[in-house]
Amino acid sequence: MRVEIIGGQLVVSPSPSGKHAGIVIDLRDAIRPGLAATYEAYENVSVPMPGDPDDYSIPDLSIGPRSFKDEDGWLLDADAVELAVEVISRGERLKGINEMTAWYAVARVARLLRIDPRTGTRSLSTRPGEGEYRAVAHGKYGEEVPLPEELGGDLTTMGLPLYGAQPGR
C-alpha cells in the first residue's frame, strides 16, 4: 500500500500493477540519459506542500537535483522538482486526478506529466500559479512530450502499453 497526505486527507492506494510499474521504469529509462548532470530521476520520493511537511504526495517519478541522493531526509522540496510524473491507475476517478493536479499546482511543482494507460493519452501541465497550471499540452501515445533540453528534451511515449480489458467489459 502507498500512503500520502494530500490536502490534509489521508490517501491510501494499492500497490501499482506490474504494467503501471513498467511504464514508470520505461519513462525513467528514457529520461535519464538526456538529463543535465545536475538532475536525477527518482521513483517514489515524497514531495511536501511548501510550509507543511505533513501534506505530501509521492509521484511515480520525480526529476530533481542530483544532490538529493546524498541527503538523509525523505522529502524533496516541491520547488526543486522540475518534473513530477503520475501514471494514472486503472481505477482512478476523474475527481482524484483533478485533485492531484491541483495539489501539484498549489505546491508549485514546475511540470506535471500525467500518463493515462487507460486511454493511451498524456498531459503535460506547466506554468503553475494561483492554484492551477496555466498551460496544458495534451497528446496521445506515440507523440513526443516537449521537455526542456536540461530534462532530456522531447520524451517519447512510443511503445508505452495500455491496460488490458477489465473483466466483464
Side-chain angles (χ1 to χ4, degrees), residues 33-61:
L35 285 176
T38 56
Y39 295 114
E40 184 55 88
Y42 300 101
E43 291 183 49
N44 298 309
V45 170
S46 299
V47 176
M49 181 64 69
D52 187 356
D54 291 329
D55 189 355
Y56 62 90
S57 182
I58 307 171
D60 291 311
L61 186 66

mmCIF file of all heavy atoms in Angstrom, residues 33-61:
data_model
loop_
_atom_site.group_PDB
_atom_site.id
_atom_site.type_symbol
_atom_site.label_atom_id
_atom_site.label_comp_id
_atom_site.label_asym_id
_atom_site.label_seq_id
_atom_site.Cartn_x
_atom_site.Cartn_y
_atom_site.Cartn_z
ATOM 1 N N PRO A 33 19.133 9.247 -19.627
ATOM 2 C CA PRO A 33 20.336 9.512 -20.432
ATOM 3 C C PRO A 33 20.471 10.972 -20.873
ATOM 4 O O PRO A 33 21.580 11.450 -21.065
ATOM 5 C CB PRO A 33 20.173 8.591 -21.647
ATOM 6 C CG PRO A 33 19.235 7.524 -21.206
ATOM 7 C CD PRO A 33 18.317 8.185 -20.211
ATOM 8 N N GLY A 34 19.378 11.681 -21.031
ATOM 9 C CA GLY A 34 19.440 13.053 -21.519
ATOM 10 C C GLY A 34 19.447 14.117 -20.444
ATOM 11 O O GLY A 34 19.544 15.313 -20.747
ATOM 12 N N LEU A 35 19.331 13.715 -19.177
ATOM 13 C CA LEU A 35 19.289 14.698 -18.099
ATOM 14 C C LEU A 35 20.605 15.448 -17.968
ATOM 15 O O LEU A 35 21.682 14.858 -18.095
ATOM 16 C CB LEU A 35 18.987 14.021 -16.754
ATOM 17 C CG LEU A 35 17.566 13.573 -16.489
ATOM 18 C CD1 LEU A 35 17.496 12.836 -15.151
ATOM 19 C CD2 LEU A 35 16.598 14.738 -16.514
ATOM 20 N N ALA A 36 20.516 16.739 -17.668
ATOM 21 C CA ALA A 36 21.712 17.507 -17.329
ATOM 22 C C ALA A 36 22.336 16.874 -16.086
ATOM 23 O O ALA A 36 21.635 16.262 -15.267
ATOM 24 C CB ALA A 36 21.332 18.967 -17.061
ATOM 25 N N ALA A 37 23.625 17.034 -15.929
ATOM 26 C CA ALA A 37 24.366 16.393 -14.831
ATOM 27 C C ALA A 37 23.867 16.806 -13.453
ATOM 28 O O ALA A 37 24.100 16.093 -12.475
ATOM 29 C CB ALA A 37 25.851 16.701 -14.962
ATOM 30 N N THR A 38 23.159 17.905 -13.359
ATOM 31 C CA THR A 38 22.672 18.389 -12.059
ATOM 32 C C THR A 38 21.371 17.728 -11.627
ATOM 33 O O THR A 38 20.909 17.949 -10.505
ATOM 34 C CB THR A 38 22.467 19.913 -12.089
ATOM 35 O OG1 THR A 38 21.572 20.231 -13.172
ATOM 36 C CG2 THR A 38 23.791 20.635 -12.273
ATOM 37 N N TYR A 39 20.762 16.903 -12.507
ATOM 38 C CA TYR A 39 19.465 16.295 -12.210
ATOM 39 C C TYR A 39 19.557 14.780 -12.113
ATOM 40 O O TYR A 39 20.448 14.148 -12.659
ATOM 41 C CB TYR A 39 18.429 16.645 -13.284
ATOM 42 C CG TYR A 39 18.087 18.100 -13.336
ATOM 43 C CD1 TYR A 39 18.407 18.872 -14.437
ATOM 44 C CD2 TYR A 39 17.441 18.713 -12.271
ATOM 45 C CE1 TYR A 39 18.092 20.218 -14.483
ATOM 46 C CE2 TYR A 39 17.124 20.062 -12.314
ATOM 47 C CZ TYR A 39 17.457 20.804 -13.429
ATOM 48 O OH TYR A 39 17.150 22.122 -13.460
ATOM 49 N N GLU A 40 18.550 14.211 -11.435
ATOM 50 C CA GLU A 40 18.418 12.758 -11.338
ATOM 51 C C GLU A 40 16.925 12.418 -11.381
ATOM 52 O O GLU A 40 16.077 13.249 -11.064
ATOM 53 C CB GLU A 40 19.032 12.243 -10.040
ATOM 54 C CG GLU A 40 19.036 10.728 -9.901
ATOM 55 C CD GLU A 40 19.696 9.995 -11.052
ATOM 56 O OE1 GLU A 40 20.917 9.789 -11.020
ATOM 57 O OE2 GLU A 40 18.968 9.615 -11.991
ATOM 58 N N ALA A 41 16.619 11.192 -11.790
ATOM 59 C CA ALA A 41 15.247 10.683 -11.822
ATOM 60 C C ALA A 41 15.048 9.792 -10.600
ATOM 61 O O ALA A 41 15.801 8.842 -10.399
ATOM 62 C CB ALA A 41 15.008 9.890 -13.100
ATOM 63 N N TYR A 42 14.045 10.110 -9.789
ATOM 64 C CA TYR A 42 13.761 9.368 -8.557
ATOM 65 C C TYR A 42 12.380 8.744 -8.629
ATOM 66 O O TYR A 42 11.427 9.389 -9.062
ATOM 67 C CB TYR A 42 13.790 10.314 -7.344
ATOM 68 C CG TYR A 42 15.113 10.999 -7.133
ATOM 69 C CD1 TYR A 42 15.310 12.310 -7.538
ATOM 70 C CD2 TYR A 42 16.175 10.333 -6.536
ATOM 71 C CE1 TYR A 42 16.521 12.953 -7.342
ATOM 72 C CE2 TYR A 42 17.392 10.963 -6.335
ATOM 73 C CZ TYR A 42 17.564 12.273 -6.741
ATOM 74 O OH TYR A 42 18.768 12.900 -6.549
ATOM 75 N N GLU A 43 12.278 7.502 -8.176
ATOM 76 C CA GLU A 43 10.978 6.847 -8.071
ATOM 77 C C GLU A 43 10.501 6.906 -6.633
ATOM 78 O O GLU A 43 11.275 6.679 -5.703
ATOM 79 C CB GLU A 43 11.083 5.385 -8.515
ATOM 80 C CG GLU A 43 11.326 5.234 -9.997
ATOM 81 C CD GLU A 43 11.363 3.784 -10.428
ATOM 82 O OE1 GLU A 43 10.440 3.028 -10.052
ATOM 83 O OE2 GLU A 43 12.313 3.422 -11.139
ATOM 84 N N ASN A 44 9.230 7.202 -6.456
ATOM 85 C CA ASN A 44 8.561 7.134 -5.155
ATOM 86 C C ASN A 44 9.246 7.946 -4.057
ATOM 87 O O ASN A 44 9.450 7.466 -2.952
ATOM 88 C CB ASN A 44 8.396 5.672 -4.715
ATOM 89 C CG ASN A 44 7.532 4.913 -5.697
ATOM 90 O OD1 ASN A 44 6.436 5.354 -6.034
ATOM 91 N ND2 ASN A 44 8.030 3.794 -6.177
ATOM 92 N N VAL A 45 9.593 9.191 -4.367
ATOM 93 C CA VAL A 45 10.150 10.122 -3.391
ATOM 94 C C VAL A 45 9.033 11.073 -2.974
ATOM 95 O O VAL A 45 8.273 11.550 -3.808
ATOM 96 C CB VAL A 45 11.340 10.898 -3.998
ATOM 97 C CG1 VAL A 45 11.769 12.032 -3.103
ATOM 98 C CG2 VAL A 45 12.504 9.954 -4.251
ATOM 99 N N SER A 46 8.936 11.362 -1.696
ATOM 100 C CA SER A 46 7.862 12.216 -1.178
ATOM 101 C C SER A 46 8.159 13.690 -1.425
ATOM 102 O O SER A 46 9.277 14.153 -1.205
ATOM 103 C CB SER A 46 7.677 11.974 0.319
ATOM 104 O OG SER A 46 7.310 10.632 0.542
ATOM 105 N N VAL A 47 7.133 14.398 -1.887
ATOM 106 C CA VAL A 47 7.229 15.830 -2.170
ATOM 107 C C VAL A 47 6.218 16.539 -1.272
ATOM 108 O O VAL A 47 5.013 16.294 -1.386
ATOM 109 C CB VAL A 47 6.918 16.118 -3.659
ATOM 110 C CG1 VAL A 47 6.933 17.611 -3.934
ATOM 111 C CG2 VAL A 47 7.896 15.372 -4.566
ATOM 112 N N PRO A 48 6.692 17.418 -0.351
ATOM 113 C CA PRO A 48 5.773 18.081 0.564
ATOM 114 C C PRO A 48 5.190 19.369 -0.008
ATOM 115 O O PRO A 48 5.793 20.002 -0.877
ATOM 116 C CB PRO A 48 6.660 18.401 1.770
ATOM 117 C CG PRO A 48 7.983 18.696 1.140
ATOM 118 C CD PRO A 48 8.082 17.730 -0.036
ATOM 119 N N MET A 49 4.037 19.745 0.501
ATOM 120 C CA MET A 49 3.488 21.061 0.225
ATOM 121 C C MET A 49 4.422 22.057 0.910
ATOM 122 O O MET A 49 4.799 21.847 2.074
ATOM 123 C CB MET A 49 2.068 21.164 0.801
ATOM 124 C CG MET A 49 1.391 22.493 0.561
ATOM 125 S SD MET A 49 1.070 22.887 -1.158
ATOM 126 C CE MET A 49 -0.201 21.700 -1.590
ATOM 127 N N PRO A 50 4.853 23.109 0.228
ATOM 128 C CA PRO A 50 5.740 24.080 0.875
ATOM 129 C C PRO A 50 5.130 24.583 2.190
ATOM 130 O O PRO A 50 3.964 24.935 2.250
ATOM 131 C CB PRO A 50 5.841 25.206 -0.147
ATOM 132 C CG PRO A 50 5.616 24.521 -1.463
ATOM 133 C CD PRO A 50 4.592 23.453 -1.164
ATOM 134 N N GLY A 51 5.942 24.542 3.236
ATOM 135 C CA GLY A 51 5.492 25.022 4.543
ATOM 136 C C GLY A 51 4.706 24.004 5.342
ATOM 137 O O GLY A 51 4.306 24.292 6.473
ATOM 138 N N ASP A 52 4.442 22.813 4.777
ATOM 139 C CA ASP A 52 3.675 21.811 5.511
ATOM 140 C C ASP A 52 4.183 20.407 5.169
ATOM 141 O O ASP A 52 3.645 19.734 4.285
ATOM 142 C CB ASP A 52 2.185 21.917 5.187
ATOM 143 C CG ASP A 52 1.323 21.014 6.062
ATOM 144 O OD1 ASP A 52 1.879 20.238 6.869
ATOM 145 O OD2 ASP A 52 0.091 21.079 5.927
ATOM 146 N N PRO A 53 5.221 19.936 5.868
ATOM 147 C CA PRO A 53 5.777 18.608 5.556
ATOM 148 C C PRO A 53 4.819 17.459 5.858
ATOM 149 O O PRO A 53 5.068 16.329 5.445
ATOM 150 C CB PRO A 53 7.024 18.538 6.440
ATOM 151 C CG PRO A 53 6.750 19.480 7.560
ATOM 152 C CD PRO A 53 5.908 20.581 6.967
ATOM 153 N N ASP A 54 3.704 17.742 6.539
ATOM 154 C CA ASP A 54 2.719 16.704 6.811
ATOM 155 C C ASP A 54 1.701 16.571 5.681
ATOM 156 O O ASP A 54 0.792 15.745 5.755
ATOM 157 C CB ASP A 54 1.999 16.987 8.135
ATOM 158 C CG ASP A 54 2.920 16.818 9.327
ATOM 159 O OD1 ASP A 54 3.843 15.977 9.259
ATOM 160 O OD2 ASP A 54 2.734 17.545 10.322
ATOM 161 N N ASP A 55 1.827 17.397 4.654
ATOM 162 C CA ASP A 55 0.957 17.342 3.479
ATOM 163 C C ASP A 55 1.866 17.029 2.298
ATOM 164 O O ASP A 55 2.588 17.895 1.811
ATOM 165 C CB ASP A 55 0.245 18.684 3.290
ATOM 166 C CG ASP A 55 -0.835 18.649 2.220
ATOM 167 O OD1 ASP A 55 -0.997 17.614 1.537
ATOM 168 O OD2 ASP A 55 -1.522 19.676 2.065
ATOM 169 N N TYR A 56 1.880 15.783 1.859
ATOM 170 C CA TYR A 56 2.825 15.402 0.818
ATOM 171 C C TYR A 56 2.215 14.409 -0.161
ATOM 172 O O TYR A 56 1.256 13.718 0.138
ATOM 173 C CB TYR A 56 4.104 14.818 1.423
ATOM 174 C CG TYR A 56 3.890 13.561 2.228
ATOM 175 C CD1 TYR A 56 3.945 12.307 1.621
ATOM 176 C CD2 TYR A 56 3.613 13.615 3.577
ATOM 177 C CE1 TYR A 56 3.742 11.149 2.351
ATOM 178 C CE2 TYR A 56 3.406 12.463 4.321
ATOM 179 C CZ TYR A 56 3.473 11.236 3.700
ATOM 180 O OH TYR A 56 3.263 10.100 4.420
ATOM 181 N N SER A 57 2.818 14.393 -1.337
ATOM 182 C CA SER A 57 2.437 13.459 -2.385
ATOM 183 C C SER A 57 3.668 12.638 -2.748
ATOM 184 O O SER A 57 4.801 13.054 -2.488
ATOM 185 C CB SER A 57 1.937 14.220 -3.611
ATOM 186 O OG SER A 57 1.531 13.329 -4.617
ATOM 187 N N ILE A 58 3.435 11.487 -3.360
ATOM 188 C CA ILE A 58 4.530 10.619 -3.784
ATOM 189 C C ILE A 58 4.370 10.351 -5.277
ATOM 190 O O ILE A 58 3.682 9.414 -5.683
ATOM 191 C CB ILE A 58 4.545 9.292 -2.994
ATOM 192 C CG1 ILE A 58 4.544 9.559 -1.491
ATOM 193 C CG2 ILE A 58 5.752 8.451 -3.409
ATOM 194 C CD1 ILE A 58 4.350 8.320 -0.633
ATOM 195 N N PRO A 59 4.978 11.206 -6.112
ATOM 196 C CA PRO A 59 4.879 10.971 -7.556
ATOM 197 C C PRO A 59 5.506 9.632 -7.932
ATOM 198 O O PRO A 59 6.417 9.148 -7.255
ATOM 199 C CB PRO A 59 5.688 12.116 -8.165
ATOM 200 C CG PRO A 59 5.919 13.096 -7.076
ATOM 201 C CD PRO A 59 5.792 12.366 -5.786
ATOM 202 N N ASP A 60 5.035 9.058 -9.020
ATOM 203 C CA ASP A 60 5.633 7.823 -9.508
ATOM 204 C C ASP A 60 7.089 8.051 -9.910
ATOM 205 O O ASP A 60 7.937 7.187 -9.720
ATOM 206 C CB ASP A 60 4.848 7.288 -10.712
ATOM 207 C CG ASP A 60 3.476 6.784 -10.311
ATOM 208 O OD1 ASP A 60 3.387 6.014 -9.339
ATOM 209 O OD2 ASP A 60 2.494 7.172 -10.970
ATOM 210 N N LEU A 61 7.372 9.236 -10.451
ATOM 211 C CA LEU A 61 8.714 9.594 -10.885
ATOM 212 C C LEU A 61 8.881 11.093 -10.677
ATOM 213 O O LEU A 61 7.956 11.861 -10.958
ATOM 214 C CB LEU A 61 8.885 9.235 -12.373
ATOM 215 C CG LEU A 61 10.245 9.391 -13.003
ATOM 216 C CD1 LEU A 61 11.241 8.397 -12.391
ATOM 217 C CD2 LEU A 61 10.152 9.165 -14.516
#
